[in-house]
């Protein structure tokens, strides 16, 4: 009898506690941003897409059916009537005098100026940032921007590497470029801008809202507001028209802690795209390193590497990896690439190729025009993300991705991205990875063994190409 009463009391307490917790977290719901009365029922799905690229000035590769990134971003700002919401891993648009010797460096200042001028046009600028201090964000706040800072160290032990824009809740940009003058001048970037697409943007905006609500928090809530749940996912993609071509689309997010109900994780989006590929998988990345380092220990992070091996060996899908050659590259990256290649030995219809994109070395020995891409294209889909394919990125850092799938061939977006991949793959800057040689990638081409201390994507070390102008 006693124990029964005890049970009831405990049960009641648990219930009370549950209600309390629900109340606390529903506060997030009350504070949740409205969605301008646009719902899944009446949002727009007849969208236009433009591929945007930055090609470094000293590289002889030409824009092919793409728009220069700087022009694309200015166009987006010109379209804005009410709001511009930006998340970026970096804010470094203004150049120092030293940096401004690069011919296109001033493009960063022009973009910064345009952002500062938004307020006068009655447009509200909102920025979510994982930076602890940033002069530039201070300046933007002074000019009327609202900035929410996230303590990513406390939230995920990682960094905010997400890079996307939401404009008037109906246009968007997502891609490899950050709000960094280098992204508009010396780095090779690829992204997409999608116009008049409130259905897709509604969902991307929920990822922005999630960041927005994490300001001042030092833990990630275990229950999220319903308004942050995903609308579309890999199981239930949005069916829309992109330049008239029927397309399936959804956005993905990372890390796991930042994925409320139904949100597809980046790693699952990548997995899905690889699995759906029938003929080929072409990958253009700054870095490829299937390792995970938690500060004390380094482990093999097999997820993407394993998926690629399976696709190559068991499904005979042709794999091509175009990896950047840059100075802080982990030397083991080449070993992993090489091991992928050698897996196809003596097998018919198995093909894995790896090339390094290594632009000209400057006088000081540093490479210029680093390939900062983060995309994969297959015979049916394209995935454009914010991460290098390095274990730590997916486990600790926040990022987002976009998947577009199109079955028709022709001048559709997926086909266009494949053409861009081919252009780069066959360019004079792409060099086939040779057996038993680590390519020279800049001044400190690391032939002296792995620099595990400088593990890319780790908490202690900002993983960015900042040091290479
Ligand atoms: C969309 O539907 C909602 C609710 O059904 C309504 O409040 C809103 O005004 C509609 N928006 C547009 C743009 O039609
Ligand atoms: C950009 O940097 C230059 C030189 O460092 C400085 O004079 C200028 O005021 C900065 N511009 C803005 C908008 O902060
Ligand atoms: C972020 O969180 C960490 C760990 O909880 C804390 O040590 C640090 O002071 C916080 N940083 C800021 C800027 O609040
Ligand atoms: C290899 O590909 C060719 C052409 O696609 C096909 O005819 C052949 O059966 C394949 N061989 C194997 C072993 O899968
Ligand atoms: C979509 O259409 C716009 C304008 O009509 C064009 O500029 C753009 O290149 C097209 N995008 C693709 C991927 O074909």
């Amino acid at each position: 009898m006693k124990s029964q009463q005890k049970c009831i009391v405990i049960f009641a307490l648990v219930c009370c506690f549950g209600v309390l917790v629900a109340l606390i977290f529903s506060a997030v719901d009350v504070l949740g941003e409205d969605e301008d009365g646009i719902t899944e029922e009446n949002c727009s799905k007849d969208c236009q897409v433009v591929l945007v690229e930055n090609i470094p000035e000293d590289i002889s590769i030409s824009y092919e059916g793409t728009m220069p990134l700087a022009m694309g971003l200015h166009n987006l700002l010109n379209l804005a009537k009410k709001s511009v919401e930006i998340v970026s891993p970096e804010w470094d648009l203004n150049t120092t005098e030293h940096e401004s010797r690069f011919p296109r460096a001033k493009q960063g200042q022009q973009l910064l100026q345009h952002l500062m001028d938004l307020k006068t046009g009655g447009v509200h600028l909102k920025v979510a940032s994982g930076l602890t201090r940033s002069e530039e964000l201070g300046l933007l706040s002074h000019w009327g921007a609202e900035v929410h800072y996230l303590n990513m160290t406390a939230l995920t032990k990682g960094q905010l590497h997400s890079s996307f824009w939401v404009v008037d809740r109906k246009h968007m940009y997502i891609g490899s470029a950050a709000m960094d003058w280098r992204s508009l001048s010396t780095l090779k970037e690829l992204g997409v801008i999608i116009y008049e697409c409130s259905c897709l943007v509604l969902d991307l905006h929920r990822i922005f809202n999630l960041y927005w609500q994490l300001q001042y928090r030092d833990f990630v809530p275990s229950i999220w507001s319903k308004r942050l749940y995903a609308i579309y996912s890999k199981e239930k993609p949005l069916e829309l028209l992109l330049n008239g071509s029927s397309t399936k689309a959804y956005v993905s997010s990372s890390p796991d802690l930042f994925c409320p109900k139904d949100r597809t994780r980046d790693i699952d989006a990548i997995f899905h795209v690889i699995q759906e590929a029938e003929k080929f998988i072409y990958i253009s990345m700054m870095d490829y390193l299937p390792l995970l380092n938690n500060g004390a220990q380094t482990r093999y992070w097999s997820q993407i590497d394993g998926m690629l091996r399976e696709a190559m060996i068991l499904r005979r899908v042709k794999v091509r990896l175009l990896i950047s050659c840059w100075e802080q590259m982990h030397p083991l990256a080449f070993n992993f690439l090489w091991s992928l290649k050698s897996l196809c030995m003596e097998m018919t219809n198995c093909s894995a190729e790896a090339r390094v994109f290594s632009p000209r070395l400057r006088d000081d020995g540093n490479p210029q025009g680093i390939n900062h891409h983060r995309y994969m294209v297959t015979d049916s889909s394209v995935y454009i993300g914010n991460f290098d394919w390095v274990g730590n990125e997916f486990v600790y850092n926040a990022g987002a991705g976009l998947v577009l799938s199109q079955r028709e061939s022709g001048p559709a977006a997926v086909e266009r991205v494949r053409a861009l991949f081919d252009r780069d793959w066959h360019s004079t800057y792409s060099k086939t990875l040779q057996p038993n040689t680590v390519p020279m990638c800049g001044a400190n081409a690391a032939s002296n063994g792995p620099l595990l201390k400088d593990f890319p994507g780790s908490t202690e070390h900002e993983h960015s190409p900042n040091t290479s102008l």
Side-chain angles (χ1 to χ4, degrees):
M1 214 49 191
K2 265 265 170 67
S3 71
Q4 225 172 16
Q5 277 175 343
K6 229 181 202 166
C7 260
I8 291 169
V9 169
I10 289 173
F11 182 68
L13 279 176
V14 168
C15 282
C16 283
F17 183 69
V19 168
L20 200 69
V21 167
L23 279 176
I24 289 170
F25 287 107
S26 66
V28 174
D29 200 61
V30 175
L31 298 174
E33 288 276 314
D34 67 70
E35 287 174 338
D36 284 352
I38 296 173
T39 67
E40 291 154 67
E41 280 73 42
N42 59 14
C43 58
S44 134
K45 307 179 190 180
D46 189 355
C47 321
Q48 297 292 307
V49 62
V50 171
L51 299 172
V52 283
E53 275 195 290
N54 187 62
I55 299 178
E57 51 250 304
D58 59 348
I59 278 191
S60 55
I61 287 181
S62 52
Y63 292 86
E64 255 170 44
T66 55
M67 184 186 274
L69 174 66
M71 188 193 284
L73 294 179
H74 281 291
N75 282 357
L76 268 181
L77 293 180
N78 288 335
L79 278 179
K81 296 208 169 58
K82 282 193 252 173
S83 65
V84 174
E85 291 157 305
I86 301 180
V87 52
S88 165
E90 296 174 49
W91 281 91
D92 194 11
L93 289 170
N94 197 8
T95 40
T96 62
E97 214 167 309
H98 170 68
E99 291 163 340
S100 57
R101 72 202 145 98
F102 290 95
R104 274 200 265 139
K106 63 176 183 311
Q107 296 210 351
Q109 279 158 336
Q110 286 161 358
L111 188 61
L112 184 62
Q113 190 60 49
H114 205 161
L115 291 169
M116 283 156 60
D117 293 343
L118 285 177
K119 183 75 193 247
T120 21
V123 176
H124 186 37
L125 173 61
K126 290 163 78 175
V127 176
S129 172
L131 300 172
T132 38
R133 67 173 179 271
S134 157
E135 261 178 52
E136 222 149 81
L137 288 179
L139 182 78
L140 285 173
S141 308
H142 177 78
W143 285 84
E146 197 180 349
V147 182
H148 277 195
Y149 293 94
L150 276 66
N151 186 342
M152 289 297 294
T153 312
L155 293 169
T156 69
K157 302 201 190 75
Q159 293 162 5
L160 189 65
H161 279 183
S162 315
S163 189
F164 62 81
W165 287 30
V166 170
V167 174
D168 287 344
R169 314 270 168 91
K170 60 182 177 191
H171 317 301
M172 64 176 273
Y173 157 79
I174 188 166
S176 58
M179 292 299 100
D180 180 343
W181 65 269
R182 296 167 190 84
S183 289
L184 305 173
S185 55
T186 63
L187 294 172
K188 195 153 172 304
E189 310 274 9
L190 181 84
V192 284
I193 292 181
I194 299 182
Y195 300 99
E196 300 295 343
C197 210
S198 53
C199 289
L200 187 60
V201 177
L202 198 64
D203 211 16
L204 182 66
H205 185 248
R206 289 186 171 201
I207 299 181
F208 183 85
N209 260 351
L210 185 149
Y211 302 151
W212 197 246
Q213 295 179 5
L214 287 174
Q215 158 149 278
Y216 302 130
R217 283 181 184 254
D218 52 12
F219 65 95
V220 179
S222 51
I223 306 168
W224 294 102
S225 150
K226 262 205 293 217
R227 283 173 160 177
L228 299 176
Y229 288 2
I231 306 172
Y232 308 105
S233 63
K234 72 179 182 358
E235 287 84 19
K236 195 177 136 246
L238 166 69
E239 298 194 13
L240 51 74
L241 290 177
L242 275 185
N243 280 23
S245 303
S246 73
T247 306
K248 289 188 175 143
Y250 61 92
V251 290
S252 56
S253 182
S254 292
D256 297 6
L257 279 172
F258 281 13
C259 293
K261 191 165 175 291
D262 299 332
R263 179 68 68 208
T264 303
R265 304 181 305 158
D266 280 296
I267 189 72
D268 293 328
I270 291 170
F271 189 28
H272 193 66
V273 168
I274 290 179
Q275 259 188 334
E276 297 266 288
E278 288 171 4
K279 299 194 186 85
F280 62 84
I281 300 167
Y282 295 163
I283 296 159
S284 186
M285 273 297 134
M286 179 152 121
D287 208 355
Y288 181 84
L289 188 64
L291 292 179
L292 179 64
N293 177 289
N294 65 5
Q297 215 186 11
T298 302
R299 287 173 33 219
Y300 176 50
W301 185 77
S302 60
Q303 305 210 31
I304 295 178
D305 209 46
M307 293 169 205
L308 289 176
R309 282 164 198 264
E310 188 180 279
M312 278 160 48
I313 289 274
L314 301 179
R315 291 193 291 118
R316 313 287 166 120
V317 178
K318 180 163 120 183
V319 173
R320 283 182 169 172
L321 289 120
L322 182 59
I323 307 298
S324 202
C325 209
W326 56 298
E327 56 192 308
Q328 279 153 33
M329 188 123 190
H330 196 296
L332 277 180
F334 299 113
N335 298 48
F336 284 113
L337 289 175
W338 187 253
S339 86
L340 271 179
K341 274 185 78 153
S342 50
L343 203 60
C344 276
M345 189 173 57
E346 303 257 325
M347 278 185 69
T348 43
N349 296 2
C350 178
S351 165
E353 296 168 273
R355 289 189 181 177
V356 289
F357 189 87
S358 67
R360 213 176 16 233
L361 294 185
R362 281 204 325 263
D363 296 343
D364 58 5
N366 283 323
Q368 187 165 7
I370 289 177
N371 190 32
H372 198 236
H373 289 170
R374 278 99 185 241
Y375 74 86
M376 156 172 66
V377 62
T378 71
D379 39 280
S380 57
S381 305
V382 59
Y383 166 83
I384 294 187
N386 295 151
F387 288 157
D388 284 323
W389 286 7
V390 172
N392 278 48
E393 291 262 43
F394 291 86
V395 174
Y396 298 112
N397 296 337
L402 170 71
V403 175
L404 301 175
S405 301
Q406 293 175 322
R407 283 283 161 201
E408 315 161 23
S409 57
V414 174
E415 176 65 20
R416 287 277 185 96
V417 177
R418 191 201 48 78
L420 293 181
F421 182 90
D422 280 347
R423 177 200 64 188
D424 293 348
W425 182 260
H426 295 294
S427 77
T428 55
Y429 308 104
S430 298
K431 313 235 161 55
T432 302
L433 195 61
Q434 298 299 329
N436 306 321
T437 36
V438 171
M440 292 293 285
C441 294
N444 59 344
S447 43
N448 295 329
L451 307 161
L452 282 181
K453 272 188 282 131
D454 295 323
F455 199 85
S458 72
T459 315
E460 291 82 27
H461 299 271
E462 177 60 26
H463 179 217
S464 76
N466 272 4
T467 44
S468 359
L469 298 173

